[in-house]
């Protein structure tokens, strides 16, 4: 195999990795419409669509190294997230739930808030151009190909979602300190309905008390 073909050759294990990840995110995207809708439902949908777009675009132009780094930086934190959910749903391991949450939060900060923007996104902005063509200017929107710029836009979009979910994680930290156990602070549609009903009853009670005083 000559050097030119070796540069663009994709190994079989990489093909399987992309295939499995794409299948996984398609299942998440479709399954989200049948699952309990949390307050960040549309952010999740957007995340899955962007991730699938990144997988497709990076595969189409053979930017699999960027795609692989994105997947790995996401998968690490997800392991601790899903593990923590399993422990919490068991309902008998409060301390282990908190340990899983600490591991998740630490991996989230290291991978999605540090490694992802400082290594992956920075490399896409400043290093990827040399791999496309010698005279390629990533900041020239009129120069072809356009797909690398689309990939960068999607990378930044994912990072903005990371910031949004970091805010939610911060709220979980506050609740954990107050209540002693990590819990999901995102409300679902039933929770919102119950909260609205409680507020309505409180408002009605307040009005009745005000009328009695008058």
């Amino acid at each position: 195999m000559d050097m030119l073909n070796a540069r663009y050759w994709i190994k079989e294990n990489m093909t399987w990795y992309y295939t499995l990840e794409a299948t996984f995110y398609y299942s998440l995207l479709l399954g989200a419409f049948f699952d309990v809708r949390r307050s960040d439902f549309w952010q999740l949908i957007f995340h899955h669509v962007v991730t699938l777009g990144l997988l497709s675009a990076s595969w189409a132009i053979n930017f699999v190294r960027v795609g692989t780094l994105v997947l790995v930086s996401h998968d690490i934190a997800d392991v601790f997230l899903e593990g923590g959910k399993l422990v919490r749903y068991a309902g008998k391991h409060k301390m282990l739930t908190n340990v899983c949450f600490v591991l998740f939060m630490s991996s989230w900060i290291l991978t999605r808030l540090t490694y992802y923007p400082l290594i992956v996104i920075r490399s896409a902005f400043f290093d990827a151009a040399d791999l496309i063509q010698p005279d390629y200017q990533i900041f020239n929107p009129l120069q072809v190909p356009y797909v690398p710029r689309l990939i960068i836009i999607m990378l930044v979009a994912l990072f903005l979602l990371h910031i949004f979910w970091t805010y939610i994680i911060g709220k979980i930290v506050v609740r954990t300190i107050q209540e002693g156990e990590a819990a999901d602070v995102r409300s679902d549609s039933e929770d919102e309905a119950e909260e609205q009903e409680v507020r309505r009853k409180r408002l009605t009670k307040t009005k009745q008390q005000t009328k009695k005083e008058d």
Side-chain angles (χ1 to χ4, degrees), residues 160-198:
L160 294 177
L161 285 174
H162 295 171
I163 295 175
F164 167 75
W165 279 313
T166 300
Y167 167 73
I168 294 180
I169 293 173
K171 293 174 66 176
I172 295 176
V173 171
V174 173
R175 174 173 289 189
T176 302
I177 295 174
Q178 293 175 342
E179 302 180 3
E181 182 179 8
D184 196 342
V185 298
R186 299 172 302 166
S187 60
D188 56 30
S189 56
E190 293 181 358
D191 291 337
E192 292 175 351
E194 291 177 359
E195 289 179 2
Q196 290 178 358
E197 181 64 19
V198 170

Side-chain angles (χ1 to χ4, degrees), residues 129 133-141 143 149:
Q133 59 192 43
D135 61 341
Y136 190 73
Q137 298 178 4
I138 203 74
F139 296 103
N140 181 3
Q143 186 180 14
R149 298 185 188 90

Side-chain angles (χ1 to χ4, degrees), residues 36-60:
V36 176
R37 292 199 177 190
R38 301 287 183 178
S39 57
D40 62 343
F41 171 78
W42 289 111
Q43 287 86 348
L44 278 173
I45 295 298
F46 181 67
H47 172 271
H48 300 336
V49 171
V50 171
T51 302
L52 288 168
L54 270 172
L55 285 171
S56 302
S58 62
W59 181 267

Side-chain angles (χ1 to χ4, degrees), residues 1 6 8-21 59 62 64 68:
M1 183 183 299
Y8 296 98
W9 182 259
I10 300 176
K11 295 182 179 180
E12 184 178 359
N13 57 356
M14 190 71 69
T15 302
W16 277 109
Y17 187 39
Y18 257 69
T19 302
L20 291 173
E21 289 284 355
W59 181 267
N62 202 13
V64 293
T68 302

Side-chain angles (χ1 to χ4, degrees), residues 83-100 180-182:
K85 287 181 179 180
L86 289 174
V87 174
R88 185 174 186 277
Y89 292 155
K92 298 180 180 180
H93 306 282
K94 184 176 180 180
M95 180 60 68
L96 186 56
T97 300
N98 292 338
V99 170
C100 289
E181 182 179 8

